[in-house]
Amino acid sequence: IYRTTDGGANWTATYSGGENFKDIAFKPGNPNVIYASGNDFYRSADNGLNWSQVTSTLPSSNSRIAIAVTAANPNYVYLICGDGSGFQGLYRSTDSGTSFSLRSDSPNILGYDLTGGSGSQAWYDLVALGNASNADHIIIGGINLWESFDGGTNWSIVSHWVGSGGHTAIHAGQHVLEWNPHTGHLFAGDDGGIHYSTHGGVSFTEISSGLGIAQIYKIGQSTLDPNLTIAGFQDNGTGLIDNGVWRTEIGGDGMECIVDYSDDDVMY
């Protein structure tokens, strides 16, 4: 963890141990109290100069912990803990991160299925967001988006990665959630782009379609037509550009792809 007191011109390391930090948050209204998490949870009471690990009741074998705070009750801190097998638990502190109690550890809200199921990508995608006007409302993102209105005890799915069960289809792999404080819109950033909701997560609109920002893993070029290229994208399927026009061929993870050397209609 690095700290600056001059707007980013100079930085000082205030924690340089073995923790792989993924999330950090100020206590709303009190910048002296800061929370940070990786596989474990840490707390600072002096504006980030010194850090102490909080272990009370928290699981010890996390792949990752995400933090959520809420201005509706600045003393609340939510932690969602996950590992490679699934949801380890949603923990809440009511004393500014000094101690925590388990609110729920099921269903597996980090899984692929509508009801949780098995599996998790917690090591890769995990994010949590508290509602600034409702201390008991929390939204979490793993593969899908889920929310709770009772402080993390009960959960309902908000979006599903392929739109099963009539739920909004939002690309798998949630990495950031933010409220727009002026409009109340909820923004979700994932492996497939950016979505926003005007209904607090009931339905979403995708606003990143058409942006040429995918990461290309592999690429195949026609030997017969210089304007025909196929490409495999990281987490965004396989795309083909033909005479300047892109189209998606298949979803999922795009990798190696080639055009047959003697027939452009044959691709692999």
Side-chain angles (χ1 to χ4, degrees), residues 171 191 211-219 229-241 246-257:
H171 199 291
D191 282 344
L211 295 177
I213 55 174
Q215 175 185 327
I216 296 175
Y217 274 141
K218 299 288 185 177
I219 193 167
T229 306
I230 189 169
F233 302 115
Q234 189 270 331
D235 270 358
N236 279 269
T238 299
L240 186 148
I241 186 169
W246 279 101
R247 71 174 186 263
T248 298
E249 294 300 296
I250 192 171
D253 294 310
M255 275 291 179
E256 184 65 278
C257 47

Side-chain angles (χ1 to χ4, degrees), residues 3 9 18 29 32 51 77 82 98 103 107-108 121 126 140 154 165 167 191 198 205 244 246 253 259 265 268:
R3 181 178 186 270
N32 284 319
W51 296 88
V77 184
T98 302
R103 302 288 292 178
N108 178 24
Q121 295 181 166
L126 192 63
I140 71 95
N154 295 284
H167 292 277
D191 282 344
T198 60
T205 301
W246 279 101
D253 294 310
V259 183
D265 288 333
Y268 303 87

